[in-house]
Amino acid sequence: MEGQAEVAEGYYFNFCTFSYTVAYWDWDKWEREVDWMALNGITMPLNVLGHESVLHRVYTEVGLNDEEVRAFLGGPGYLPFQYMGCLDSFAGPLPTSWIRKHEELAVRVLDRQRSLGMTPVLPAFTGHVPAQLAGPTTGTRTWDEFTTHVLHPADPRYAELCRRITEIQMQTFGSDHLYAADPFIEMIPVDADPAHPGRVARATISGLVAADPQAVWVLQSWPFSFQDDFWTEDRVASFLDAMPAEHSLILDLWAETKPMWNRSDRFRGKPWVWCALLNFGGRTDLIGNLSTVADGFHESLTGDNPPIGWGLAMEGTRNNTALFQRVAEAAWSGPAPFDHWLRDFVRHRYAGAESEDLVDAWRALASSVYKETSLDVLTGHFRGALTAKPSYAETLAPDRLATRLWGSRPYDPAILVRAWRLLIEEAERRPRLLDGELGHDLIEVGRVVLSHVVDQHLVATVREAARSSGETPEALGRFLAVFDDLDRLLACRPEFTLEHWVGEAEAWAEDEEERRILRDNARRIVTVWDRPGPPNLDDYAARTWSGLVGGYYKDRWTAWARGLFEAVRSPSAEHDQRLGERLLDIERTFLERGPDAQPRPTTDVASLARRLFEAHAGALRTSTDVASQTVTGSR
């Protein structure tokens, strides 16, 4: 990038990213990522690698044995949620080899970051402790049905554990004086006293400064937006006022959508960073406001107490690259007009290729999936049927179903189809580019088109079933066939496969039991998230990946299809109850065994994309056709 930076700092990552994307990365992936950070002006990356080794040492010091501590830490894929105090003792125990290897990896990554001038942010104590350390004043709280124990800030062990964890971390990994701790990330304080958050703040600062007099507490503002009914202006002010400015840094985590800086008197004079969250759960949907995503950052630079930095705080990365790049470049003075930026982005993305068709393809994307919308990226209501858990109650009213599926994607799908066609034609002309980003984007855009086709065929299936006297709707076969075709397309690149994700996890194992835990964690978080049955986080991290599309997701819709006619003929809640039992069996089986045999990747992805385009793209109706089927204003 060229130009003068608007602000001094660039923040990167979210605790969740260390579960949803980087959980199983090796050194090669980390080295490449750190180099990307350096090239894009990142100065303050969050780094929670190896923190489990610090907690293991501290909790064995205070009397727990090795097995108790590893059970408390839980599964490797869920460690960041453990560090935020959301859960413990889940999907584990933590393998001993993981602790050793990730301490070594953390040292290597931190050395690389510091050698490039970065000041990494390391995790800190949140009050969350093993149940064995609970005392008379220890509180309990619940997050997604997980119960955890939290020390009261008046308990002297609170500041002492905060100090000791910081000291051991400094001895193990060094320090740049930046410490991330979120004692209330998605959980109401255990004490209803309005003064309680301030007491937690003072105890946290006390422990950090006792270990490191230059300590700066890095706090995510997420609770203030996520639970804004509790975090009133008075409560936020009371909490922030207990944090000394010289020891505080606030991350306005979701500022591109729901900024808190303009609701909290610019964080009461504390230093703060404007962040774009952009992605939840590492979902693979293409969605965002590409042309306007960073407008709020420029607005925040005016007035008193402007941000000291910008940040990318996505829950998952390796998706929607253009959005991340757009935010990163917005931090530099003299932002180019959008079309000029888009043309420059396309040239760099495709190895310097000068192509009007590629530019036009991206213009089409900017006018469809990346068009400014009011879609809520957090809820995921924009997602279509493909990754949704089937339900007769949600599908058997075809007009309402069409409204939900198409109304949640407010653009003409023909524009998206055009983008895919242009990418296919460019790939046919320049096959040498297929090993790079063009091959990736060919599949990326194709999967969005085919997910629209899935929606189209689902609505047609329900309509035919309602008119049928018992014959299988022809649309049902077309509906399920798209899952297999999309699965084949996704299998062409490892980054679009469940097999690659699980393989990265298993690579850290040293024996079969460790392999089982790592495999379970990798499958679990992208499907049921926690346990089969509870719906709270089910499909939260929905991924359109080979192995999920043609396996897990297709199996669920096949189970739905088996009971379709009976549910149509005699509507009853019992049909959904029986379907729920079948889906529960599918979830348990998938966690244990994974998908059936996965398709072999083809080396000729352009030809495959062309065949699928010819077979399916024509099924999409234009927005005019869709509008005739939906109820006005029923989004």
Side-chain angles (χ1 to χ4, degrees):
M1 288 181 290
E2 300 177 358
Q4 180 68 38
E6 298 271 16
V7 287
E9 306 292 350
Y11 181 79
Y12 194 49
F13 282 142
N14 179 312
F15 273 85
C16 300
T17 328
F18 287 81
S19 272
Y20 291 131
T21 300
V22 310
Y24 310 112
W25 279 8
D26 59 14
W27 165 247
D28 288 342
K29 283 201 168 183
W30 270 111
E31 183 179 35
R32 184 177 180 85
E33 190 74 2
V34 173
D35 288 350
W36 182 92
M37 295 180 202
L39 290 169
N40 286 273
I42 302 298
T43 62
M44 296 191 307
L46 177 66
N47 194 330
V48 308
L49 290 172
H51 188 57
E52 56 271 29
S53 72
V54 173
L55 296 181
H56 188 274
R57 290 178 197 180
V58 171
Y59 288 128
T60 52
E61 277 185 0
V62 298
L64 277 68
N65 63 40
D66 167 70
E67 289 186 356
E68 289 173 326
V69 177
R70 289 191 298 109
F72 168 70
L73 292 171
Y78 293 83
L79 284 171
F81 298 96
Q82 213 274 6
Y83 303 156
M84 290 187 288
C86 300
L87 51 72
D88 60 50
S89 310
F90 178 68
L94 188 65
T96 301
S97 69
W98 177 278
I99 300 175
R100 181 187 75 252
K101 291 176 181 177
H102 279 76
E103 181 177 318
E104 295 168 356
L105 178 64
V107 168
R108 199 172 181 186
V109 172
L110 287 165
D111 284 348
R112 179 69 172 171
Q113 290 175 334
R114 288 167 177 151
S115 74
L116 293 170
M118 300 175 199
T119 54
V121 180
L122 304 184
F125 184 60
T126 64
H128 171 215
V129 294
Q132 295 91 328
L133 298 185
T137 62
T138 300
T140 60
R141 61 188 181 186
T142 301
W143 179 86
D144 186 44
E145 301 185 2
F146 293 100
T147 299
T148 52
H149 296 79
V150 188
L151 293 181
H152 193 279
D155 187 328
R157 294 178 300 168
Y158 190 111
E160 175 60 22
L161 279 171
C162 185
R163 177 192 66 81
R164 188 59 181 150
I165 286 170
T166 306
E167 285 179 343
I168 294 295
Q169 186 165 256
M170 292 170 67
Q171 294 168 16
T172 308
F173 300 127
S175 174
D176 297 277
H177 315 300
L178 299 172
Y179 304 96
D182 297 287
F184 313 116
I185 189 65
E186 287 187 354
M187 295 152 286
I188 298 298
V190 295
D191 191 325
D193 184 347
H196 179 75
R199 288 193 286 265
V200 171
R202 285 186 285 273
T204 301
I205 292 290
S206 175
L208 289 173
V209 171
D212 179 359
Q214 299 180 63
V216 172
W217 177 9
V218 180
L219 175 77
Q220 298 179 128
S221 69
W222 179 249
F224 308 153
S225 59
F226 184 74
Q227 293 171 320
D228 55 4
D229 54 340
F230 174 84
W231 288 102
T232 61
E233 281 191 30
D234 288 346
R235 280 196 169 106
V236 172
S238 175
F239 182 35
L240 294 179
D241 287 349
M243 300 173 64
E246 67 273 20
H247 293 296
S248 308
L249 178 62
I250 313 300
L251 303 176
D252 198 353
L253 208 70
W254 199 16
E256 87 281 16
T257 297
K258 194 175 181 181
M260 297 306 300
W261 63 267
N262 55 9
R263 307 182 192 186
S264 59
D265 193 18
R266 290 180 177 255
F267 297 109
R268 311 284 293 177
K270 304 295 187 292
W272 65 283
V273 174
W274 185 99
C275 296
L277 215 164
L278 298 175
N279 178 273
F280 289 86
R283 299 169 192 158
T284 53
D285 308 86
L286 296 186
I287 183 173
N289 306 335
L290 188 55
S291 65
T292 63
V293 65
D295 285 0
F297 169 68
H298 296 292
E299 180 187 352
S300 73
L301 294 173
T302 62
D304 296 333
N305 195 34
I308 67 164
W310 64 277
L312 290 169
M314 56 279 177
E315 284 194 353
T317 184
R318 292 299 186 271
N319 54 67
N320 290 300
T321 305
L323 285 179
F324 302 135
Q325 200 67 47
R326 179 72 169 158
V327 173
E329 294 183 23
W332 299 79
S333 61
F338 179 68
D339 196 68
H340 178 83
W341 175 88
L342 189 67
R343 184 177 292 276
D344 198 47
F345 170 79
V346 168
R347 184 175 65 255
H348 287 296
R349 184 162 182 79
Y350 301 116
E354 299 281 352
S355 167
E356 284 303 312
D357 278 354
L358 288 176
V359 173
D360 284 347
W362 275 90
R363 286 193 185 114
L365 293 175
S367 299
S368 55
V369 291
Y370 291 136
K371 185 177 181 180
E372 182 163 359
T373 78
S374 59
L375 297 182
D376 187 342
V377 180
L378 171 60
T379 62
H381 289 164
F382 55 86
R383 302 206 313 261
L386 195 148
T387 61
K389 179 176 280 192
S391 159
Y392 298 121
E394 294 294 323
T395 56
L396 292 191
D399 289 344
R400 188 176 66 214
L401 176 64
T403 298
R404 182 175 68 81
L405 293 176
W406 291 100
S408 64
R409 294 172 171 181
Y411 56 83
D412 187 340
I415 302 173
L416 184 63
V417 168
R418 181 172 183 273
W420 195 26
R421 176 179 60 77
L422 289 169
L423 292 174
I424 293 170
E425 290 171 353
E426 191 70 19
E428 292 167 338
R429 285 192 297 267
R430 305 192 195 198
R432 64 179 180 81
L433 295 178
L434 279 170
D435 288 340
E437 299 300 339
L438 181 57
H440 174 98
D441 294 346
L442 192 67
I443 298 170
E444 183 92 273
V445 176
R447 68 174 167 180
V448 185
V449 172
L450 293 179
S451 72
H452 278 296
V453 175
V454 166
D455 294 345
Q456 189 81 356
H457 288 325
L458 175 60
V459 173
T461 296
V462 173
R463 283 203 169 100
E464 287 187 25
R467 296 192 299 263
S468 172
S469 59
E471 296 180 2
T472 302
E474 291 184 13
L476 178 58
R478 294 191 293 269
F479 171 63
L480 294 175
V482 184
F483 287 78
D484 293 328
D485 283 347
L486 177 53
D487 211 54
R488 280 193 288 273
L489 181 65
L490 295 165
C492 294
R493 293 279 289 235
E495 65 264 33
F496 295 120
T497 67
L498 176 69
E499 183 178 33
H500 180 71
W501 170 253
V502 174
E504 282 188 327
E506 290 182 313
W508 289 98
E510 290 191 347
D511 58 38
E512 187 51 42
E513 176 58 14
E514 291 186 357
R515 190 169 293 107
R516 182 196 65 77
I517 292 170
L518 286 155
R519 184 169 55 237
D520 169 83
N521 282 205
R523 290 175 183 162
R524 186 176 296 272
I525 204 164
V526 297
T527 53
V528 300
W529 205 98
D530 47 14
R531 294 148 291 195
N536 298 21
L537 289 169
D538 202 11
D539 294 314
Y540 178 78
R543 311 281 170 96
T544 311
W545 280 350
S546 178
L548 290 174
V549 171
Y552 187 68
Y553 301 142
K554 184 185 178 186
D555 288 348
R556 297 197 306 190
W557 282 107
T558 301
W560 170 88
R562 284 204 301 268
L564 176 60
F565 284 116
E566 188 177 350
V568 169
R569 282 196 301 267
S570 56
S572 165
E574 293 180 5
H575 300 303
D576 266 321
Q577 182 179 346
R578 287 196 291 269
L579 176 60
E581 292 168 358
R582 291 195 293 269
L583 295 177
L584 196 60
D585 286 341
I586 289 170
E587 292 168 359
R588 289 169 176 156
T589 300
F590 190 87
L591 291 178
E592 182 180 348
R593 302 177 191 171
D596 294 333
Q598 298 176 62
R600 285 187 173 184
T602 177
T603 56
D604 191 357
V605 63
S607 294
L608 176 59
R610 170 62 73 182
R611 289 198 303 273
L612 297 183
F613 180 90
E614 299 295 342
H616 295 295
L620 290 181
R621 294 185 173 94
T622 67
S623 55
T624 302
D625 296 323
V626 173
S628 68
Q629 300 179 48
T630 58
V631 179
T632 303
S634 58
R635 186 168 297 173

